Structures are given as structure tokens and as C-alpha cells.
Amino acid sequence: MGVLGAQNSGKTTLLTANYLQLLKGRKISDADFSGSRTLGAWESLAAHIRFEDSARTPSFPPHTPRGTSRVPGLLHLAMRNQNEEFRDILLADAPGEWFTRWSVKEDAPEAEGARWVVKHADAFIVMADCDRLSSPERGATRGETRELIERLGNHVGTRPVVFVWAKYDKKPPEKIEGAIRRALINSIPHAIEHQTTTNDPDTLLAALAQTVDLAWLPPSAKAVTAPVLSKQPFYSFRGHHGYS
Amino acid sequence: MDTPELLLLGGPNSGKTHYAGQLYGRLRRRPGVLELRKDQGTPLDLSALDEVFKCLEKGRAAGHTPTGTWSEILLPLVDKSGRCLDLRWPDYGGEQLESVFDQREISEKWRSRLVEADGWMILIRLESETTFDDALNQLVERPSDGTTPAVRPNTWDANAKWVELLQLLLHVSGTGNHQRLEKPKLAVLLSCYDEIKRPQDIPSNVLGEYLPLLSSFINSNWSSDSFSVWGLSSLGVPLTPDDSNDDFVDEGPEEQGWVILPEGGKQDEDLSKPIAWLLEV
């Protein structure tokens, strides 16, 4: 799953909050936690939000560094649902700058990681920062958010998208919200909207659960219509991945 | 003759040695579902338990098992139906398990035991496990001082630590979890159960309350008849190394201690029941 959004829009917080809820025994969708290959990463993110000692007060997790890597850090969860279906869920926690750059210039070298995420993800969570959308920078933020939506719209196809109004404890002005919603309807009409705030951790759980739900079953393959290219029947073989 | 292999997993101070000492007393002097075979007499080598016997007879807590220790006592057992079992009961310093987690490295000796074991027995002392509260729903209201958060000490929540440890052990033993696990059978013994605040709950609920993530992990990876959660109080009461407990002195340690069965209910004095369950006696 790709988590997309500008820097400081709350991508890491959304993911960490879900881990903290799992720690309390909560389910995601109707699936139980059944393992993680990245517990070390989860724990180091969660440590920021904990009461550990009086010298370090809890805070939001820090900015995900850009580093030199060309692919994002992946966080892993294994889940098993009531029907005994087992899934490995990989969550791409990429630095926000990648997506900001990608929105503006799709083939920018710095956007390689963003392209990787968009190419490989089976589902997307797109984050809009309501704190900034209700600040004096709201105009510029609206622009960036719409660019991201429109850019993703070119690539997403039928893959599920959950659009998250993050930090909804700060509600953006109606006109701003309306403009973004229009962009969303135009570019990604199948996107499902969620509002989240850390004041109510259940909202963060609901957003991820919805995404997991939508991606739980792979899309059904489209019927392959083999074009007649020549009289040799094997010439039209397209391999097993002909649909992509 | 069956020679079942059990693996006993417990960190430092989780009560492995006390359990071993009390278990032996039961098998020898107050047998329940399992007892020592009469024809074999006393096991040849009891030196691993010598120290704990001496302490318990005096009503005192035994000392810490030295870190590097690895010893085994061969227990020739017989069940109610006359089936004979030779059980090698391990005792070791709990730090060895900690170092598996810290170093992410398992010795060949441990690995072969992991692979061969028919059942794993985990001892968890819930009251000494460290879990953290989070402050997620207060972050927005907290004034930010604008500085980059300091690097945090790398202390894991006990939930994550146990899950990681089990994942490491499963990996090393070559066991995948895409299908629910039938083997190794897993008995989770919540040790020092006399410390638990709500002991009337069934043990699996108590585990779920103290360590919810670990509880989810076990529940969603083992098939329901391949794991069980027990309450265990080997001593029944806390002992200290320095003061004597008169009940232990006068009645003998074999009269002390109990387990709570997975389905709950009253204290059961047969400390061998979890082992009998693991060995399907």
C-alpha cells in the first residue's frame, strides 16, 4: 500500500497510530495481528508517542528522512481474518518530498521513489493536511494537494484509493475543501474519503482498515482477448501478466 | 519408550528453576497425571536442582541460575495408563533467551532443540513485563517546542519483544505461519500467578489483558487445540532468599503451589498438568 502526501501531512503518524492500536489488541478491519517482519521499525516509531520517562515527553513521530534510498522504507503487518485468509501487508512510508516533487515533475530524478510506490502499490492512502489547509498557506497547500490528486489520477487506474482529511480537528474552509473534493471527483472518482484526527485514534484505524478491506481481494482479472496477429497461434502469447 | 522433547522458554526471573524444583517434588512425592517411574528410582543426576531443593525445604527463594548454565535432568515418567516417557527437563540462565533477542542469533544447540521439540513451553511473568502507555490522543493539545524529537532509547514493549522472539524461534525452526500451526504445540504458563490482580479470569483472558498483541499473535497463528494458556504459581506465595516460610518448612514444598487450568476454575495442585497436555498424555 502506498501512503502518499506532502511532508508533515501525517503519513507516519497514521501508520504508527495503527500499530499502537494493534498493541492494544485491536483488529484492523476484521483481521487479527499475526506477525510483523518490521517490529523494530514499528517500535522505534512508537517510542516517540510513549510515556517512557519524564525527561522525554511524547511527540509526533519525526520527519521521515529522505536519505539516499531509491525505494521507500516498508513497514510490514501480517494479518489473518475470520475466514482464515492470511495477508502480508506492506506499507510504504515514503518521505513527503518525493510526492511533492513527483506531483510537479513526474520524471524528476528525486521522484524515483514516488514512481516506485505508485507503480507497485495495490492500494493508496492519500493524505491532505487540514492543518495547513486552514492556515494562511491554505491556497498553496490546496494547489499542492490538487496536483498530487491529479497526478495520481493518471496512474491509479481501478486501484482502490482512500483519501484522508488528516488533522481534521482543524477544519479547512468550505471553499478550500470543495475545490479539493472537485479535483478528487474529477481525477479519482472511486476514492473514498475519511476524516482523521489523533484526538480520536479510531478514525486513524478506520482509514487504514478501509484501505485494507478494499485491497484484501485482488481485482478480478480481465478476460484476455487474443488479437489475431498472424496465422501462427503462438505469436499472440502475452505471458501471464498480459493484463498490466 | 517415548522420548518426547520439550523446550522451556523463559527469560531471567520468570520462574523456570522454581517450577523445575516444585515439579520434581510433585512427580516424586505427590504424583498427579504424571509420576516418576518406580523401577528407575531417583534420577541419577539431580545436581541441577540441588540448590533449589535446599532453598525450598528451608522456605526460601532460590538464587538466580547463572547465565551460562545449561543443564538437563532426565525424568523417567509414567502416566496413568502406564505409558513410559523419558523427559529431558532443561534448566538454563534466562539471559540466554534475552541474548537470542538482542543478538538475533541462535546457537546450533538451541536450534536443534527447537526443531526437535514436540512442544514449547513459555514462562511469562506478567507483572514484570514492561509495556508502555501511549499519548496519541493527547498529542494535538501538547505544546510543541519545535525541536526535533530526541533519539529514543531502544526499549521495546514486551508485546513486541515476545512476538519478535517467537517469530525468530519459528523462523529458525523452519516453521512458517501462513497455515495455522499444529506443531510445535505451545503452552503459555503465566508464572507467579499469585501476583495477578484479577486471578479469577481465565488465563487466556489475563494474557489478552496484559499482553494483547502477543495474545493476538498466538491466537491467530496456532490452531485452537495446539496452544493453551495456564496460570502457574509454583510456590503459591512469594518467597524471599532471606526469610523462611513456615508452611514450606513444616509441610514441605510439595504441598505448595498450584496451576489454573486453561478453562479457569479453582487452583489445581497438579503441577504436571501443563506438561501432560503438551505431551498429550
Side-chain angles (χ1 to χ4, degrees):
Chain A
M1 284 175 192
V3 187
L4 277 60
Q7 183 188 339
N8 199 31
S9 58
K11 300 181 291 300
T12 307
T13 301
L14 176 95
L15 297 176
T16 311
N18 274 277
Y19 174 68
L20 291 171
Q21 295 297 306
L22 287 173
L23 267 178
K24 293 179 179 161
R26 301 285 301 269
K27 293 163 183 279
I28 287 182
S29 184
D30 75 337
D32 280 309
F33 172 84
S34 41
S36 166
R37 298 295 176 197
T38 58
L39 280 172
W42 285 120
E43 278 293 307
S44 64
L45 290 172
H48 292 279
I49 307 183
R50 285 178 176 154
F51 292 109
E52 234 163 320
D53 59 57
S54 51
R56 297 182 188 81
T57 55
S59 66
F60 284 101
H63 173 226
T64 307
R66 256 174 296 183
T68 51
S69 172
R70 286 153 184 244
V71 291
L74 295 176
L75 291 159
H76 172 246
L77 290 175
M79 310 293 296
R80 194 190 309 270
N81 75 3
Q82 312 282 320
N83 303 329
E84 295 293 308
E85 293 162 347
F86 185 94
R87 295 287 182 274
D88 284 304
I89 301 168
L90 295 170
L91 299 149
D93 186 25
E97 295 91 336
W98 288 4
F99 297 110
T100 308
R101 188 71 187 123
W102 178 71
S103 314
V104 176
K105 189 169 189 296
E106 188 171 311
D107 58 356
E110 313 89 283
E112 190 177 343
R115 291 196 294 276
W116 188 90
V117 172
V118 172
K119 182 175 174 206
H120 291 101
D122 294 311
F124 296 95
I125 298 175
V126 181
M127 312 280 294
D129 183 345
C130 293
D131 188 16
R132 279 182 69 213
L133 285 170
S134 53
S135 74
E137 299 167 68
R138 59 188 179 275
T141 311
R142 175 189 55 204
E144 287 168 20
T145 311
R146 287 198 290 202
E147 279 166 19
L148 178 63
I149 292 168
E150 286 153 6
R151 178 72 71 199
L152 181 64
N154 296 338
H155 299 272
V156 71
T158 56
R159 288 178 285 179
V161 176
V162 168
F163 186 83
V164 172
W165 299 91
K167 313 182 194 176
Y168 206 69
D169 40 283
K170 307 263 173 52
K171 195 174 167 1
E174 259 173 46
K175 285 182 181 170
I176 299 270
E177 203 174 317
I180 292 173
R181 187 163 289 124
R182 277 194 298 282
L184 193 63
I185 291 167
N186 275 331
S187 301
I188 316 174
H190 62 283
I192 295 175
E193 295 177 47
H194 271 260
Q195 293 155 357
T196 66
T197 163
T198 52
N199 290 342
D200 179 3
D202 280 356
T203 57
L204 298 152
L205 197 64
L208 184 64
Q210 172 99 70
T211 321
V212 169
D213 248 0
L214 291 169
W216 191 267
L217 293 175
S220 17
K222 295 192 193 95
V224 178
T225 43
V228 179
L229 299 175
S230 82
K231 287 174 186 167
Q232 283 288 341
F234 291 114
Y235 283 4
S236 63
F237 179 68
R238 296 240 172 143
H240 298 296
H241 300 286
Y243 63 89
S244 63
Chain B
M1 174 71 64
D2 281 335
T3 52
E5 297 270 353
L6 286 189
L7 196 71
L8 179 70
L9 303 164
N13 219 1
S14 59
K16 292 185 298 301
T17 306
H18 280 147
Y19 183 45
Q22 286 293 71
L23 180 67
Y24 179 79
R26 286 297 203 285
L27 295 170
R28 171 96 271 176
R29 304 189 182 102
R30 275 188 79 200
V33 287
L34 291 172
E35 65 180 301
L36 284 179
R37 287 207 298 280
K38 298 283 188 298
D39 59 335
Q40 300 274 320
T42 304
L44 290 177
D45 186 0
L46 283 175
S47 47
L49 292 178
D50 189 36
E51 169 72 13
V52 64
F53 288 157
K54 283 186 183 142
C55 292
L56 292 179
E57 294 283 1
K58 287 187 276 188
R60 296 178 180 193
H64 181 73
T65 308
T67 307
T69 307
W70 176 285
S71 55
E72 284 179 336
I73 304 142
L74 182 72
L75 299 172
L77 302 176
V78 59
D79 70 10
K80 290 287 181 208
S81 63
R83 176 180 161 219
C84 294
L85 310 156
D86 274 348
L87 178 65
R88 289 190 293 144
W89 186 263
D91 194 34
Y92 57 91
E95 288 82 358
Q96 293 181 31
L97 200 63
E98 298 255 288
S99 87
V100 166
F101 174 82
D102 292 338
Q103 314 285 330
R104 306 181 70 79
E105 193 173 84
I106 291 178
S107 69
E108 194 54 46
K109 184 168 67 185
W110 270 80
R111 193 178 88 94
S112 49
R113 291 218 53 148
L114 281 164
V115 173
E116 287 161 17
D118 305 281
W120 296 358
M121 182 176 271
I122 305 185
L123 260 70
I124 305 177
R125 184 176 180 176
L126 291 176
E127 284 292 344
S128 62
E129 295 290 340
T130 311
T131 55
F132 298 106
D133 259 346
D134 68 70
L136 187 69
N137 53 5
Q138 299 163 31
L139 289 184
V140 172
E141 276 67 38
R142 275 174 184 274
S144 165
D145 57 5
T147 56
T148 313
V151 175
R152 297 272 165 163
N154 200 10
T155 319
W156 285 39
D157 187 282
N159 276 292
K161 201 168 175 177
W162 274 108
V163 170
E164 184 78 336
L165 187 61
L166 280 174
Q167 290 187 149
L168 284 169
L169 298 176
L170 287 170
H171 175 76
V172 169
S173 69
T175 313
N177 63 340
H178 275 231
Q179 302 294 325
R180 277 182 187 270
L181 302 171
E182 306 283 345
K183 189 177 173 280
K185 284 180 82 175
L186 183 72
V188 180
L189 271 59
L190 306 176
S191 59
C192 304
Y193 208 65
D194 47 292
E195 298 174 338
I196 299 293
K197 295 194 182 73
R198 286 168 54 194
Q200 64 275 26
D201 282 1
I202 65 168
S204 57
N205 288 353
V206 172
L207 178 66
E209 199 175 310
Y210 278 75
L211 297 174
L213 188 80
L214 174 64
S215 176
S216 296
F217 179 79
I218 293 172
N219 270 297
S220 75
N221 281 317
W222 267 267
S223 66
S224 57
D225 51 1
S226 297
F227 80 94
S228 60
V229 186
W230 307 66
L232 167 71
S233 176
S234 304
L235 306 176
V237 288
L239 296 184
T240 63
D242 303 320
D243 295 319
S244 296
N245 178 301
D246 287 342
D247 290 342
F248 275 74
V249 176
D250 297 332
E251 296 169 17
E254 68 274 15
E255 298 292 329
Q256 318 297 329
W258 39 264
V259 289
I260 301 288
L261 305 185
E263 60 270 26
K266 61 179 178 24
Q267 298 171 357
D268 187 316
E269 294 183 341
D270 185 357
L271 296 183
S272 68
K273 279 195 175 158
I275 297 165
W277 177 84
L278 267 184
L279 303 177
E280 292 178 60
V281 176

